[in-house]
Amino acid sequence: MSPDMSPDAALDERTTAPPRAALPPFQPPLADLGPAFFSDIALHPLPQPHWVGISQAAAQWAGLPEGWADAPEALEVFTGNRAHAGSVPRASVYSGHQFGVWAGQLGDGRACLLGEWLRPTDEQRIEVQLKGSGPTPYSRMGDGRAVLRSSIREFLCSEAMHALGIPTTRALCVTGSPAPVRREEIETAAVVTRLSPSFLRFGHLEHFSANGQTDELRKLADHVIDRFYPEARSPQAGVDEADKAHPPPTNAYAALLRLVSLRTADLLAQWQAVGFCHGVMNTDNMSLLGLTIDYGPFQFMDGFDPAHICNHSDHQGRYAFARQPQIAYWNLYALGQALLPLIDSQEAAVAALSVYEQAFPKALQARMRAKLGLTKAADGDRALMDDAMRLLAAHRIDHTLFWRRLASAVEGDTEPVRDLMPDRAAFDAWFERHLAALAGQDLLATAAQMRRVNPKYVLRNHLGEQAIAAARQGDMSEVARLLQVLQHPFDEQPEHAALADLPPAWAADIAISCSS
Ligand code: AMP
Ligand code: MG
């Protein structure tokens, strides 16, 4: 208000000025669970916060009002510097198996649940969590912080995965601060705001089971069922009675295990089909909702290699690309073990989780069939798929470019995909079989369909590195541009075609470890 304004004029100004978008108030997170499941924590402000990236798509998904990021408090709230209305900051406790070994208690060591929003359109609860917001009772020896590079990677990849149609936690924004954070070298701090209907992991249930806290175990399982798997309350519903190998679940908890196994099978099929390597598939990084969660040393493969290890710290290759589906199954066993006190028998638990054995290959074959443009299943499909992957593996052919260019080949433009192939004769022989399998289909429509499942743009490591390098110099425009392109991964976007090119030679030397 300017000093010479009368009170009436000031009132007029207030009513005619564009409305300031306020952030909706939070409701306390995990409120129906109680203190055995989390600790109330303090905020740990960071100095001089600034915006690094904002996803308006995530904001829209969460039902935030337009202009939310301009709300005067937004930057402070999403850096963890200021408590927002209704916020009760909490860190949850979980345990887990890390690299195949029981690791005991872990918990949100650098994550803080600010609260929940009720999405206006459908009343879906959305949890709002900061990552890198400072120490919690579960930080163990850690500083509770995250660095700029890993925060940008998580932000971009969460939103890229969502745009690819792959279940994932979302990322609303990243903020940065000049505060130093020590890793291999001194870096600067950043905070990612993550959104998800739930951040609960296999490790949450493992925690209470391993501690013999059966009442808490049941309470948590009931919470998951009531919120996310209400169909588990009718355990026999929707189960194929003719499937003698998998007798119907005997109770709601066996049904929960079965449903989580089915979602996990579908998730893994999607990862494998797009060439995504998670890198740290510990049970504490496995979502009970079947979402991709905890982006660390992940990678979208460039040259296809089934043995590819994207995590520099994974010396044994436990989480190599081709092992991911088997590791997910191992993790489901750990979840089944955790749920045993609530399930009548070991046999019932094994029957519930072993649906994965059929569901995963079935889901993967459906995805691969779509990638190949095949509209219906036929006898030779499997061999055609396997041989395509063998062709790629033999010469580390670029995974994303191969599938995208295959769509053009189906339309008659075979040279671009042949250009990727050192052994053209082998490709030509395979492609003849592919065309034979497509016989009778409209090839133009098929190619268009293939482009809707084979992305042109994925978050290759070198693209992330370039955006990070610019951000470190204070230029956030590359983060914004990359986000925008990755939000439409199936569109041609010719003006950004360079982002779909083969990686430069230096990309092979990028080493991403667990350190973040
Ligand atoms: P991650 O490998 O990132 O999934 O983390 C494994 C566990 O270590 C989780 O309990 C994290 O919260 C915790 N953690 C990772 N980094 C830090 C850190 N810098 N400070 C405190 N806890 C951390
Ligand atoms: Mg984790």
Side-chain angles (χ1 to χ4, degrees):
M1 177 167 73
S2 52
D4 55 347
M5 262 189 196
S6 70
D8 279 354
L11 197 65
D12 284 350
E13 186 188 50
R14 242 185 298 146
T15 48
T16 52
R20 278 255 175 89
L23 291 172
F26 290 121
Q27 298 181 4
L30 306 178
D32 60 334
L33 285 175
F37 298 86
F38 52 75
S39 299
D40 287 349
I41 57 174
L43 295 178
H44 297 273
L46 282 168
Q48 297 164 261
H50 58 264
W51 292 112
V52 175
I54 288 174
S55 170
Q56 293 299 358
Q60 217 166 28
W61 173 79
L64 290 190
E66 222 162 293
W68 62 276
D70 301 324
E73 71 275 22
L75 179 60
E76 297 287 336
V77 168
F78 297 123
T79 309
N81 287 5
R82 174 216 268 236
H84 181 55
S87 176
V88 185
R90 287 177 172 158
S92 75
V93 63
Y94 54 82
S95 295
H97 284 85
Q98 297 190 319
F99 290 89
V101 179
W102 179 245
Q105 182 183 307
L106 302 163
D108 293 329
R110 53 170 170 168
C112 164
L113 280 168
L114 290 179
E116 293 179 352
W117 282 322
L118 216 52
R119 185 159 62 191
T121 44
D122 57 0
E123 307 237 306
Q124 158 89 59
R125 286 169 207 265
I126 296 186
E127 292 183 352
V128 184
Q129 186 183 61
L130 304 182
K131 178 168 173 182
S133 48
T136 77
Y138 313 112
S139 297
R140 296 170 296 151
M141 304 300 281
D143 57 8
R145 292 299 178 192
V147 295
L148 182 65
R149 68 180 150 82
S150 63
S151 304
I152 290 175
R153 279 169 54 84
E154 170 141 18
F155 170 71
L156 289 173
C157 201
S158 306
E159 292 304 285
M161 291 292 259
H162 175 78
L164 287 166
I166 302 178
T168 178
T169 59
R170 304 284 311 256
L172 178 66
C173 57
V174 190
T175 69
S177 159
V181 176
R182 181 180 290 279
R183 294 293 180 259
E184 278 84 9
E185 46 195 44
I186 301 283
E187 303 186 46
T188 60
V191 177
V192 188
T193 299
R194 309 198 288 193
L195 308 175
S196 177
S198 171
F199 292 94
L200 289 171
R201 304 135 191 275
F202 291 12
H204 278 98
L205 289 164
E206 286 182 283
H207 179 77
F208 296 100
S209 187
N211 288 345
Q213 293 173 272
T214 308
D215 289 346
E216 284 79 5
L217 177 68
R218 180 175 289 109
K219 191 167 184 184
L220 186 56
D222 283 338
H223 168 93
V224 175
I225 290 170
D226 292 342
R227 281 210 180 173
F228 308 110
Y229 297 98
E231 64 272 38
R233 297 276 179 220
S234 326
Q236 324 244 318
V239 177
D240 180 5
E241 280 178 23
D243 183 356
K244 295 284 176 260
H246 304 101
T250 44
N251 69 15
Y253 308 106
L256 171 65
L257 179 59
R258 179 175 176 278
L259 293 167
V260 174
S261 301
L262 291 175
R263 284 222 197 151
T264 304
D266 198 49
L267 178 69
L268 267 289
Q270 300 206 46
W271 285 0
Q272 299 308 107
V274 80
F276 176 78
C277 217
H278 180 282
V280 209
M281 288 177 67
N282 295 333
T283 57
D284 54 297
N285 290 337
M286 297 290 292
S287 154
L288 285 170
L289 271 52
L291 308 174
T292 314
I293 191 170
D294 278 14
Y295 292 88
F298 71 83
Q299 186 179 6
F300 282 91
M301 260 189 289
D302 296 312
F304 180 70
D305 175 10
H308 184 70
I309 304 164
C310 66
N311 180 351
H312 205 60
S313 320
D314 181 8
H315 306 294
Q316 310 290 321
R318 178 178 173 85
Y319 299 135
F321 176 75
R323 286 205 177 137
Q324 296 189 123
Q326 196 57 40
I327 291 289
Y329 196 30
W330 191 99
N331 290 340
L332 287 165
Y333 259 87
L335 178 63
Q337 186 75 36
L339 284 168
L340 260 187
L342 308 181
I343 297 177
D344 310 289
S345 69
Q346 178 120 9
E347 294 74 57
V350 171
L353 68 91
S354 63
V355 292
Y356 184 89
E357 282 180 307
Q358 282 76 44
F360 170 73
K362 195 170 160 212
L364 181 62
Q365 278 164 40
R367 301 260 163 210
M368 296 307 289
R369 210 173 285 123
K371 288 176 85 68
L372 288 162
L374 301 170
T375 51
K376 44 185 185 303
D379 278 348
D381 290 357
R382 184 67 199 272
L384 192 65
M385 292 168 196
D386 291 349
D387 290 344
M389 300 325 285
R390 264 186 219 113
L391 269 184
L392 296 190
H395 297 281
R396 307 274 194 273
I397 306 303
D398 190 87
H399 188 263
T400 306
L401 281 176
F402 170 79
W403 289 105
R404 190 75 183 182
R405 291 187 186 182
L406 189 64
S408 305
V410 164
E411 282 174 327
D413 185 13
T414 51
E415 283 321 292
V417 68
R418 291 181 88 239
D419 283 347
L420 294 170
M421 300 290 175
D423 185 351
R424 292 185 171 204
F427 171 75
D428 291 344
W430 176 86
F431 188 54
E432 220 169 280
R433 289 164 56 206
H434 183 206
L435 285 181
L438 292 173
Q441 289 186 212
D442 174 339
L443 293 183
L444 288 185
T446 298
Q449 185 55 40
M450 289 169 75
R451 288 193 192 93
R452 285 196 280 275
V453 293
N454 294 312
K456 176 164 176 177
Y457 298 97
V458 294
L459 179 57
R460 295 173 186 267
N461 264 352
H462 76 279
L463 299 177
E465 291 301 302
Q466 285 166 345
I468 290 162
R472 280 179 163 157
Q473 302 299 317
D475 172 9
M476 307 303 162
S477 65
E478 277 302 299
V479 172
R481 178 168 85 113
L482 201 47
L483 174 67
Q484 191 207 326
V485 172
L486 293 171
Q487 280 174 334
H488 306 279
F490 302 109
D491 295 354
E492 281 299 319
Q493 306 184 70
E495 67 281 23
H496 299 296
L499 300 180
D501 283 348
L502 278 173
W506 59 263
D509 299 328
I510 300 171
I512 312 271
S513 72
C514 278
S515 151
S516 61

